[in-house]
Amino acid sequence: LATMNTSANPVFVARNFMRDLQTAYVNLSDTELADRKKEVFKNIPNAIRGFWQMSRGDLKGEWAKHAREFRDAGGMVGWLDHYKDIGERADKLKTLLADMGEGKGKLAKRTAFAYWNLIEDANAAVENGVRLAAYVTARRNGMSVARAASLAKNLTVNFNRKGAKGVELNMWYMFMNASIQGTARLVKAMGNKNVRKIIGYVIASGFMLDLLARALAGDDDDDGENDYDQLPEYVKSHNYVLWLGRP
């Protein structure tokens, strides 16, 4: 279910990219690249394109080579398969090899896998694009491969890091691991005064946007309740609501 809502969901690409941009901007203020934000964000389009090329097997471009170095250094964040033993891994490989052969239904399977891989590669490129841009910026400013990869991987949520009870917790609450890590990373970043200023601006802008929306919405003619207040809390907490008038 988590996979269908993230790496296998085409809509997730745009939504996740917007979140990553905002989170990276805040967390960069708590790293050695605090004064290099402009350089990092300038490189994001090239980084996404390079990571996509690397994922599809094209290593001719400069940024595709950066992406491979970044991946080999352990900076890449993405979906990992877990197996209880080597036997289970071997069975999985046999199934994949069998699906690649000829036979009834194999073409449909290969087509489905090709589409699945296309979506996953697109999500991986966006998911790692901001991180790759930070990695390359760090390397160009003299940081070691290991340190740059660690900084980039933990810039937002490191999905490959899990606690001892991570699997069990995710069974009861989807994305529990990501929620805990995101909160922990933000709390750590708030030790920096510049991060506290940014968060203060975000809170103030949210407060003002809420007031503006309520003022523009007006009260409902039937029950007298403000139209903006009648929106579901989920909609208001997960979106920028710009009130343009009554339907």
Side-chain angles (χ1 to χ4, degrees):
L1 183 60
T3 303
M4 293 303 297
N5 279 280
T6 54
S7 60
N9 181 8
V11 179
F12 179 75
V13 177
R15 295 173 58 186
N16 188 53
F17 181 58
M18 292 302 297
R19 285 196 294 262
D20 275 357
L21 287 178
Q22 297 171 75
T23 305
Y25 184 84
V26 174
N27 290 341
L28 276 171
S29 300
D30 188 44
T31 69
E32 295 91 326
L33 300 179
D35 297 329
R36 302 285 181 177
K37 290 180 183 178
K38 185 177 180 179
E39 184 178 349
V40 171
F41 276 73
K42 180 181 177 181
N43 289 331
I44 289 176
N46 288 330
I48 293 176
R49 188 181 305 109
F51 202 95
W52 166 260
Q53 293 170 345
M54 186 272 295
S55 299
R56 308 305 289 180
D58 181 5
L59 297 173
K60 297 178 183 178
E62 176 188 2
W63 279 91
K65 295 176 182 177
H66 287 321
R68 182 173 63 177
E69 179 184 295
F70 170 73
R71 181 200 62 190
D72 294 345
M76 176 179 172
V77 170
W79 179 261
L80 292 178
D81 288 327
H82 297 281
Y83 305 94
K84 67 178 181 180
D85 53 43
I86 190 65
E88 185 179 354
R89 175 59 172 154
D91 291 340
K92 177 66 174 179
L93 287 174
K94 289 179 183 178
T95 301
L96 291 174
L97 288 172
D99 289 336
M100 292 172 64
E102 299 296 330
K104 186 178 180 180
K106 299 294 178 66
L107 178 60
K109 280 190 175 182
R110 289 198 298 270
T111 302
F113 278 127
Y115 173 75
W116 180 278
N117 291 332
L118 183 70
I119 298 300
E120 284 197 322
D121 287 345
N123 271 305
V126 174
E127 178 68 43
N128 290 279
V130 178
R131 291 180 171 87
L132 176 57
Y135 172 82
V136 172
T137 302
R139 292 286 292 130
R140 287 175 176 174
N141 285 275
M143 197 174 292
S144 69
V145 170
R147 176 56 191 148
S150 177
L151 182 151
K153 188 162 190 172
N154 295 286
L155 186 59
T156 56
V157 177
N158 181 357
F159 295 104
N160 297 142
R161 174 186 290 164
K162 290 181 174 65
K165 298 296 182 181
V167 175
E168 289 85 348
L169 288 173
N170 277 334
M171 289 172 61
W172 292 101
Y173 186 91
M174 193 163 56
F175 306 123
M176 170 69 84
N177 179 52
S179 298
I180 292 175
Q181 283 203 59
T183 303
R185 182 66 182 88
L186 181 60
V187 170
K188 178 180 179 297
M190 286 179 66
N192 185 293
K193 66 177 182 179
N194 291 326
V195 173
R196 294 196 296 271
K197 287 182 180 179
I198 294 173
I199 293 176
Y201 293 146
V202 171
I203 294 173
S205 62
F207 180 73
M208 295 303 296
L209 185 62
D210 185 84
L211 288 178
L212 179 62
R214 294 189 81 256
L216 293 175
D219 295 335
D220 192 290
D221 295 333
D222 297 328
D223 55 19
E225 185 178 358
N226 189 274
D227 286 337
Y228 177 73
D229 289 341
Q230 296 183 53
L231 290 176
E233 287 300 324
Y234 180 87
V235 173
K236 291 188 286 188
S237 63
H238 287 75
N239 300 274
Y240 292 111
V241 179
L242 303 176
W243 203 275
L244 300 179
R246 295 187 179 186

